[in-house]
């Protein structure tokens, strides 16, 4: 019985749980702000293409 208590109070596995929770929160934020993120990334790529075309001239 004592070993079972020690197993449940052992905090070594907490790192994994915390990482999973952080990933879940990040995925949730990406899903919520997908449209805005897509717009920003597209604008950045458009800017990169424009600037690289200017350099190539």
């Amino acid at each position: 019985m004592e070993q079972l208590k020690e197993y449940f109070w052992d905090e070594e596995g907490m790192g994994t749980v915390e990482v999973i929770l952080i990933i879940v929160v990040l995925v949730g934020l990406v899903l919520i702000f997908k449209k805005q993120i897509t717009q920003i990334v597209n604008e950045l790529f458009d800017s990169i293409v424009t600037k690289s075309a200017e350099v190539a001239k």
Side-chain angles (χ1 to χ4, degrees), residues 5-16:
K5 286 182 183 178
E6 288 178 21
Y7 176 76
F8 283 114
W9 286 104
D10 186 18
E11 294 186 9
E12 286 184 32
M14 291 302 291
T16 305

Side-chain angles (χ1 to χ4, degrees), residues 7-56:
Y7 176 76
F8 283 114
W9 286 104
D10 186 18
E11 294 186 9
E12 286 184 32
M14 291 302 291
T16 305
V17 172
E18 291 168 352
V19 170
I20 291 172
L21 288 174
I22 290 170
I23 291 171
V24 167
V25 168
L26 289 176
V27 168
L29 288 172
V30 167
L31 291 174
I32 291 170
F33 296 107
K34 180 181 176 184
K35 188 174 183 179
Q36 292 87 346
I37 292 171
T38 303
Q39 182 180 0
I40 290 170
V41 170
N42 285 335
E43 289 174 2
L44 285 172
F45 280 126
D46 289 342
S47 176
I48 291 170
V49 168
T50 303
K51 297 292 182 181
S52 64
E54 291 175 8
V55 171

